[in-house]
Amino acid sequence: MFNDYYSVSQFLAESEPVQFETSKPFCNLGQEFDPSCPFDDLPKDKKITIPFWMCKEFTMKGFGIPLKTVARTFPENTHVWSRINAEPKIVNLSEEYSDMFFELASMYGKLLMEADDDEEDSDSEDDHEEYEAGKALVQKAKEAFKSRFSKMIIESHTVGSKEPSFKEEYLTRMERELFRIGRESCEEFTRWKYQTSERMEACTVVLQARKRSQMKRKVEMGGGRNGSNGGVLRPRNF
């Protein structure tokens, strides 16, 4: 999804908070990760909220696992996903979930699948659940984006100054950018279409070729309609 190291979208998506469960104690970091922790050390099996980039690093180094269900960011309920898939105007995806919803869902789902691959005992039931949860998250996010994008792009290409059926702030950052690009391209095409100074006209070479072709046909057909008025015309040099 991100091919550029300096991608703003990647920076924003990786800074989004997600939930993480520790598998080892974190020495002298109890208050740093959980202000309500009464100890200096953060114990194992503790659920904490950290930026995605930190969650990814801790997961790869075996300090814990990302939670399969992240209720605030990625809804598990099928009914909620149905509302997200329906139309952009129904759910304020940016405010209710995340402004980087689709990018983060893709990266988080892939992290769950990679965490399963990195485990030594990858045949365990919990590991299999993590992999399936990640796979389902990526698939749901992909289907939701396709459904919302098709409706959004149609409205962005509506001719005229008609307002869309949804509020732009309901869209994610990526959706807002795509919608504005679609609206701008529609406006530019409309301006070009109705500008009289840019009408398509045949160039001089085409007009001259057309005249030569018409004259050639007359020469071949003869002088009059029945060929008796003046006889056959002689070709002229042009």
Side-chain angles (χ1 to χ4, degrees), residues 195-225:
Q195 280 181 348
T196 56
S197 61
E198 294 189 7
R199 277 186 175 179
M200 290 185 178
E201 297 179 355
C203 65
T204 305
V205 176
V206 174
L207 294 176
Q208 290 177 349
R210 185 182 301 169
K211 289 181 180 179
R212 287 195 295 267
S213 178
Q214 291 174 350
M215 184 60 67
K216 183 178 180 181
R217 285 198 298 270
K218 288 182 179 180
V219 170
E220 293 174 350
M221 292 175 61
R225 292 183 179 180

Side-chain angles (χ1 to χ4, degrees), residues 7-54:
S7 169
V8 175
S9 296
Q10 183 174 4
F11 288 154
L12 294 175
E14 290 189 340
S15 65
E16 286 287 303
V18 295
Q19 290 180 304
F20 182 80
E21 185 175 3
T22 61
S23 59
K24 300 177 181 179
F26 285 34
C27 299
N28 300 320
L29 293 174
Q31 294 292 325
E32 298 294 334
F33 287 108
D34 185 5
S36 62
C37 180
F39 311 105
D40 293 334
D41 298 341
L42 188 70
K44 63 177 297 186
D45 299 326
K46 181 72 174 179
K47 295 180 176 64
I48 58 176
T49 301
I50 55 179
F52 175 79
W53 67 266
M54 191 177 291

Side-chain angles (χ1 to χ4, degrees), residues 15-238:
S15 65
E16 286 287 303
V18 295
Q19 290 180 304
F20 182 80
E21 185 175 3
T22 61
S23 59
K24 300 177 181 179
F26 285 34
C27 299
N28 300 320
L29 293 174
Q31 294 292 325
E32 298 294 334
F33 287 108
D34 185 5
S36 62
C37 180
F39 311 105
D40 293 334
D41 298 341
L42 188 70
K44 63 177 297 186
D45 299 326
K46 181 72 174 179
K47 295 180 176 64
I48 58 176
T49 301
I50 55 179
F52 175 79
W53 67 266
M54 191 177 291
C55 174
K56 183 177 179 180
E57 291 298 321
F58 286 167
T59 300
M60 295 306 175
K61 293 180 179 179
F63 285 97
I65 57 173
L67 297 185
K68 296 189 292 290
T69 303
V70 186
R72 170 65 179 85
T73 310
F74 308 123
E76 188 179 28
N77 191 301
T78 304
H79 175 67
V80 177
W81 278 103
S82 298
R83 293 178 64 240
I84 294 175
N85 290 356
E87 287 187 30
K89 66 181 180 181
I90 295 179
V91 179
N92 188 339
L93 201 56
S94 178
E95 181 177 344
E96 294 184 23
Y97 296 101
S98 170
D99 199 33
M100 309 298 299
F101 182 83
F102 296 108
E103 296 93 332
L104 184 59
S106 176
M107 292 193 299
Y108 197 82
K110 291 177 181 178
L111 178 61
L112 288 172
M113 292 189 285
E114 291 173 1
D116 174 35
D117 293 337
D118 292 339
E119 292 291 334
E120 295 180 0
D121 185 15
S122 58
D123 294 332
S124 67
E125 185 176 348
D126 291 340
D127 293 336
H128 183 67
E129 288 181 1
E130 289 176 9
Y131 180 86
E132 291 300 323
K135 183 178 179 181
L137 177 58
V138 172
Q139 184 64 27
K140 288 178 180 178
K142 185 183 296 185
E143 293 175 354
F145 176 77
K146 288 181 179 179
S147 176
R148 289 166 61 91
F149 178 76
S150 61
K151 298 178 178 67
M152 178 189 68
I153 204 66
I154 289 174
E155 292 205 33
S156 72
H157 282 82
T158 301
V159 179
S161 57
K162 181 181 177 181
E163 292 296 325
S165 62
F166 52 84
K167 297 179 180 179
E168 283 193 44
E169 54 265 29
Y170 278 31
L171 306 177
T172 65
R173 183 178 184 273
M174 177 171 58
E175 287 179 323
R176 290 194 300 271
E177 184 177 356
L178 292 173
F179 177 76
R180 289 168 185 169
I181 291 174
R183 178 53 63 89
E184 289 172 1
S185 67
C186 179
E187 292 174 351
E188 290 178 2
F189 173 77
T190 304
R191 285 195 299 268
W192 171 83
K193 182 178 179 181
Y194 292 102
Q195 280 181 348
T196 56
S197 61
E198 294 189 7
R199 277 186 175 179
M200 290 185 178
E201 297 179 355
C203 65
T204 305
V205 176
V206 174
L207 294 176
Q208 290 177 349
R210 185 182 301 169
K211 289 181 180 179
R212 287 195 295 267
S213 178
Q214 291 174 350
M215 184 60 67
K216 183 178 180 181
R217 285 198 298 270
K218 288 182 179 180
V219 170
E220 293 174 350
M221 292 175 61
R225 292 183 179 180
N226 57 6
S228 61
N229 186 11
V232 179
L233 291 177
R234 297 180 180 179
R236 299 176 57 186
N237 294 327
F238 296 97

